[in-house]
Amino acid sequence: MARSFYGVELENALMLGTAQYPSPAILAEAFETSGAAVATVSLRREGGADGSGQDFWRLIQDLKVRVLPNTAGCHTVKEAVTTAQMAREVFETNWIKLEVIGHEDTLQPDVFALVVAAEELTKLGFNVFPYCTEDLTVANRLVNAGCEVLMPWGSPIGSGLGLNNEYGLRTLRAHFPDIPLVVDAGLGVPSHACKAMEMGFDAVLLNTAVAKAGDPVATAAAFALAIEAGRLANEADPMEPRDMAAPSTPVIGKAFL
């Protein structure tokens, strides 16, 4: 069942970034093949006096998907809020993926500034998608700040390490059953995305795993299939793991020799 993101239902639970692809044509084909419903775009991609930014924007428009601008590279509340306001003018949407980076090596979000920025942007009428950690206290603060979606990281951006803290992510899912949750960052292979969906998450967002793969188009398609498999598995109410073996073939009526 599709989850509503600020009143918008997404048929496909895959959100794709638009940076680092080998070519615009491969980017477009990756979106078409995977059926990704959302494209995340950094405002900085629109720069350049030669008009290359406008060419990129036309490419994104041709994808005919929902655009989610982000505040990538921002380190302060002021910078993030200003970038979001410019993004709203350029992309004509209230959606904003809010990133406020606090640590250069891990690109871990500055959760203190993140909450403040989320409060300010919500008051300005934005639909905020905060890139956060799996910390329950931080998540509560973001929800109280007006965020109707949470985007916890799986692991550091671009690392490909997958779901580093499954316990934390499961706890977050259980604590916020009615909040759309998107695993954002760190997924490296389709099985990581499948696991996130099996755990009950509503979508995954990734960029590097597809854009930097040997075959981005095939990788995007593989992620889409993995996400659907994980979603179906979650809805099918899978069996719980157990410590002891249990025969799958009945022994009642078996002949004793």
Side-chain angles (χ1 to χ4, degrees), residues 3-12 14-18 27 31 35-42 57 59-70 88 91-97 125-129 149 151 205:
R3 177 82 78 160
S4 176
F5 295 81
Y6 289 103
V8 177
E9 287 194 0
L10 303 177
E11 301 257 341
N12 191 312
L14 176 60
M15 302 180 179
L16 276 181
T18 54
L27 185 159
F31 270 85
V38 173
T40 59
V41 181
S42 171
W57 177 218
L59 169 64
I60 299 302
Q61 289 176 308
D62 289 342
L63 296 176
K64 301 188 185 307
V65 298
R66 190 88 186 186
V67 175
L68 176 61
N70 65 47
R88 179 156 62 180
F91 300 110
E92 300 180 340
T93 178
N94 287 324
W95 279 22
I96 190 73
K97 179 190 170 188
F126 283 90
N127 301 142
V128 180
F129 292 67
V149 176
M151 303 183 78
L205 192 157

Side-chain angles (χ1 to χ4, degrees), residues 114-138:
L114 184 69
V115 171
V116 175
E119 290 176 338
E120 291 192 21
L121 289 172
T122 298
K123 290 177 182 177
L124 292 170
F126 283 90
N127 301 142
V128 180
F129 292 67
Y131 162 63
C132 58
T133 62
E134 68 279 14
D135 185 279
L136 283 178
T137 301
V138 172

Side-chain angles (χ1 to χ4, degrees), residues 133-195:
T133 62
E134 68 279 14
D135 185 279
L136 283 178
T137 301
V138 172
N140 268 315
R141 293 288 182 88
L142 289 168
V143 170
N144 291 337
C147 297
E148 297 180 16
V149 176
L150 297 173
M151 303 183 78
W153 67 347
S155 52
I157 295 172
S159 67
L161 293 172
L163 308 179
N164 273 357
N165 183 3
E166 289 191 20
Y167 168 80
L169 291 170
R170 289 183 188 279
T171 303
L172 193 69
R173 176 71 284 175
H175 193 76
F176 295 100
D178 300 321
I179 298 289
L181 299 181
V182 182
V183 172
D184 175 19
L187 303 185
V189 292
S191 59
H192 294 158
C194 184
K195 184 69 172 181

Side-chain angles (χ1 to χ4, degrees), residues 236-248:
D237 190 21
M239 66 172 284
E240 294 291 332
R242 53 195 174 197
D243 294 329
M244 299 296 292
S248 57

